[in-house]
Amino acid sequence: MGVVRPRSLAAALDALSSVPDAHLLAGGTDFMVEVNFGRRRPEHIVALRRVTQLQGWRADDHGFDLGAMVTYRQIERELAGDLPAFAAAARTVGSPQIRNAGTVGGNIGTASPAGDALPLLTALDAQVVCASTEGERVVALTDFITGPKQTDRRPGEVIARVRFDRVRGPQQFLKVGPRNAMAISVACLALALDLDRRQVRVGLGSAAPRPQRPTEAEEYAAAQIDWDGGDISPDAAEQFGRMVAASAAPITDHRGTEEYRRHAIGVLAVRALRRGLRDIGGAAQEAAHAG
């Protein structure tokens, strides 16, 4: 097994162009499991950990730009203030050792329906920046992931960055699994309430073959919400949950049945919406008292 360890993106792309079938290695938290169990035996590996252009993140008033090698630990510690749902998702991923190794680019590239970073990125309409010797290509995350463990990454390309707009408002990430942490999700969901556009944004996890947003349910909830007071009727909230559940396309496997996953994703949707609205309502009450 030949391993190349480039220190620059240009060197990584040159290595990949000379060996097109090489496997890209980021944190290795999924790939090495398959290697250890004998499921994969790549002849060539391009390891990306030392590539400086894939590290670090930037944020401004408009949005975020995360390098593909940003780890779950960085998300948990450095982005919790701006992206609380992202930090909540990161905290549920494996052990501290896994969170120090696993990367956002690896989660996207693995394209597992259970990827915990994917629901919020989906809800925020994230875009994937792919780099090659021919330049950069930007693809919507929902188009980049084409199916379970399948992506639109082309030969010679490296996932370089992920970008998404800043959304002002409460965020929630909720997950159902055998344990509270260090477990693959049976179902998970991220929700962001966009106060500027008065939109409800939802991303589903472990509930469909690829990332998706339940747009009809989002539009229904947005129309039912009292955005000034942070409230929604119990009937409308339950209907929102039913619509989210109906939009899902889960499977039955050893972790859960299709019926259970569909039910769980609806429950998570209602719970996340109510918690987000409670945050809006609390902020409105504080503003009224201050006035």
Side-chain angles (χ1 to χ4, degrees), residues 49 76 117 153 161 227 236 238 252 257 288:
R49 184 182 295 275
E76 180 184 0
R153 188 175 72 85
R161 314 194 70 80
W227 289 94
E238 293 297 330
T252 294
T257 65

Side-chain angles (χ1 to χ4, degrees), residues 85-167:
F86 215 17
R91 283 193 292 270
T92 72
V93 176
S95 63
Q97 294 90 335
I98 292 294
R99 296 198 294 275
N100 277 318
T103 65
V104 64
N107 208 227
I108 293 171
T110 300
S112 168
D116 288 316
L118 302 182
L120 184 70
L121 294 176
T122 300
L124 299 183
D125 291 331
Q127 294 184 316
V128 180
V129 181
C130 297
S132 71
T133 54
E134 299 179 357
E136 290 187 345
R137 181 172 67 101
V138 181
V139 190
L141 175 68
T142 50
D143 293 329
F144 183 76
I145 297 178
T146 58
K149 300 190 176 183
Q150 299 175 356
T151 72
D152 185 44
R153 188 175 72 85
R154 297 172 182 174
E157 283 187 335
V158 170
I159 298 173
R161 314 194 70 80
V162 57
R163 297 171 179 163
F164 48 93
D165 291 339
R166 184 183 292 273
V167 172

Side-chain angles (χ1 to χ4, degrees), residues 66 70-80 83 86-88 90 103-104 117:
L66 276 59
V70 166
T71 66
Y72 293 114
R73 178 62 75 188
Q74 287 178 274
I75 294 170
E76 180 184 0
R77 291 187 173 181
E78 301 171 17
L79 291 166
L83 298 167
F86 215 17
T103 65
V104 64

Side-chain angles (χ1 to χ4, degrees), residues 62-281:
H62 302 290
F64 299 85
D65 186 314
L66 276 59
M69 294 301 295
V70 166
T71 66
Y72 293 114
R73 178 62 75 188
Q74 287 178 274
I75 294 170
E76 180 184 0
R77 291 187 173 181
E78 301 171 17
L79 291 166
D82 287 325
L83 298 167
F86 215 17
R91 283 193 292 270
T92 72
V93 176
S95 63
Q97 294 90 335
I98 292 294
R99 296 198 294 275
N100 277 318
T103 65
V104 64
N107 208 227
I108 293 171
T110 300
S112 168
D116 288 316
L118 302 182
L120 184 70
L121 294 176
T122 300
L124 299 183
D125 291 331
Q127 294 184 316
V128 180
V129 181
C130 297
S132 71
T133 54
E134 299 179 357
E136 290 187 345
R137 181 172 67 101
V138 181
V139 190
L141 175 68
T142 50
D143 293 329
F144 183 76
I145 297 178
T146 58
K149 300 190 176 183
Q150 299 175 356
T151 72
D152 185 44
R153 188 175 72 85
R154 297 172 182 174
E157 283 187 335
V158 170
I159 298 173
R161 314 194 70 80
V162 57
R163 297 171 179 163
F164 48 93
D165 291 339
R166 184 183 292 273
V167 172
R168 187 179 66 88
Q171 298 177 4
Q172 298 288 329
F173 175 82
L174 299 176
K175 175 176 176 176
V176 173
R179 299 184 297 270
N180 289 333
M182 293 196 294
I184 297 176
S185 67
V186 175
C188 61
L189 174 146
L191 178 143
L193 296 178
D194 187 338
L195 298 183
D196 295 324
R197 301 175 184 85
R198 297 200 166 187
Q199 292 178 343
V200 177
R201 295 167 169 264
V202 178
L204 308 182
S206 291
R210 52 196 291 266
Q212 68 176 55
R213 288 178 60 182
T215 53
E216 291 187 9
E218 291 174 339
E219 292 169 0
Y220 170 81
Q224 299 297 318
I225 289 172
D226 172 7
W227 289 94
D228 296 320
D231 197 13
I232 190 172
S233 72
D235 289 343
E238 293 297 330
Q239 176 61 15
F240 167 69
R242 288 191 290 269
M243 294 176 71
V244 171
S247 74
I251 63 170
T252 294
D253 63 12
H254 63 282
R255 287 191 297 273
T257 65
E258 172 190 349
E259 293 79 8
Y260 176 74
R261 280 193 165 99
R262 192 181 299 278
H263 170 75
I265 209 72
V267 171
L268 294 182
V270 175
R271 193 171 295 170
L273 179 64
R274 285 176 171 159
R275 290 182 182 180
L277 290 175
R278 186 171 59 204
D279 291 342
I280 295 175

Side-chain angles (χ1 to χ4, degrees), residues 1 21-25 28 30-45 106 109-111 149-150 153:
M1 185 183 296
D21 62 343
H23 182 92
L24 295 174
L25 178 64
D30 289 300
F31 172 67
M32 291 309 300
V33 172
E34 296 184 352
V35 171
N36 290 337
F37 278 93
R39 297 169 186 163
R40 303 189 71 169
R41 280 291 183 267
E43 295 184 5
H44 305 282
I45 290 177
T110 300
K149 300 190 176 183
Q150 299 175 356
R153 188 175 72 85

